[in-house]
Amino acid sequence: MQYNALPLQRLIEQFERMPGIGRKTAQRIAFYILGLPKEESRMIADAITDACEKIHRCALCCNLTEDELCPICKNEKRDHSVICVVEDSQSLMAIEKTKEFSGVYHVLHGAISPLDGIGPEQLTVKELLQRLSDNAINEVIIATDSDIEGEATAMYLSKLIKPLDIKLSRIAFGLPVGTDIQYADEVTLSRAIEGRRSM
């Protein structure tokens, strides 16, 4: 038996599809939105629509942006000879919070996970290799998560990059194995960037 009106049920189901959101949290969010004045709920809907329509991948690093190039790639004060490879834009934001890294990034948009049907073809590996063909790149720092998928991705990338005669390093992990970078605190991430090791 269905206890909720169909539109409410559909709203709950949509929130439930989000990573880390269970049934109860999805219900709380749905009821919160229904309790808002119509104008505020419309503002949320407009913000979602606006973001989905305007945000796309940076033409260079594949970070999320509304312009052709993201603000980091456009910044001439950044060291464009050092690329930090991350799994997603959330990891990029976490590293940026440390204010320890002054290079640029490359966002893979995932990690190799054969069980989930994600191989290198589904990631932005081809775009990364294209960037590395530029002789101006001196170092690549691999900053994937320390879980099985992140380690597999790091190993795969290292096999592709080592023959290119570019300095290759992996961030040091003061992070517990299995932790996502995006949930680490700034101090831990700062030490991980400073203590990166050659691969």
Side-chain angles (χ1 to χ4, degrees):
M1 177 183 282
Q2 186 170 321
Y3 297 102
N4 296 323
L6 187 58
L8 174 57
Q9 190 60 38
R10 285 179 39 222
L11 186 60
I12 291 169
E13 287 169 4
Q14 291 307 310
F15 287 127
E16 203 174 3
R17 292 176 58 193
M18 296 178 183
I21 303 290
R23 182 87 180 153
K24 287 185 178 180
T25 302
Q27 287 176 342
R28 278 196 296 272
I29 296 169
F31 281 109
Y32 168 77
I33 288 175
L34 289 176
L36 292 174
K38 287 203 185 314
E39 188 55 39
E40 285 185 41
S41 62
R42 225 175 263 117
M43 286 169 57
I44 292 172
D46 290 346
I48 292 170
T49 302
D50 195 43
C52 290
E53 289 176 356
K54 293 182 179 174
I55 294 177
H56 55 87
R57 292 182 181 181
C58 171
L60 189 57
C61 75
C62 301
N63 188 17
L64 299 177
T65 183
E66 63 179 313
D67 297 320
E68 183 181 356
L69 295 178
C70 74
I72 294 171
C73 287
K74 282 196 261 187
N75 188 342
E76 293 178 12
K77 293 180 182 175
R78 305 289 294 226
D79 182 354
H80 289 260
S81 70
V82 180
I83 297 176
C84 182
V85 180
V86 294
E87 289 182 22
D88 49 42
S89 295
Q90 293 162 299
S91 296
L92 180 154
M93 290 168 61
I95 292 171
E96 277 298 289
K97 280 186 191 174
T98 70
K99 297 185 177 19
E100 290 292 328
F101 181 65
S102 59
V104 292
Y105 295 90
H106 187 84
V107 181
L108 294 170
H109 291 280
I112 295 171
S113 178
L115 291 176
D116 296 321
I118 301 171
E121 312 78 38
Q122 282 78 42
L123 308 178
T124 61
V125 174
K126 182 177 68 174
E127 292 85 344
L128 173 62
L129 294 175
Q130 196 170 358
R131 287 179 76 184
L132 298 182
S133 64
D134 180 357
N135 291 332
I137 307 300
N138 296 328
E139 181 181 5
V140 174
I141 304 166
I142 298 179
T144 53
D145 292 337
S146 62
D147 57 14
I148 293 169
E149 293 84 3
E151 288 298 325
T153 305
M155 293 304 297
Y156 178 80
L157 292 175
S158 70
K159 287 178 183 175
L160 294 176
I161 297 169
K162 275 184 181 176
L164 302 177
D165 199 30
I166 296 171
K167 181 180 177 186
L168 182 63
S169 57
R170 174 98 166 103
I171 62 170
F173 277 99
L175 302 172
V177 172
T179 299
D180 290 344
I181 289 176
Q182 66 194 41
Y183 300 119
D185 64 291
E186 287 88 352
V187 174
T188 303
L189 278 170
S190 292
R191 290 183 181 152
I193 289 285
E194 289 170 352
R196 64 185 183 267
R197 66 191 191 313
S198 293
M199 291 182 76

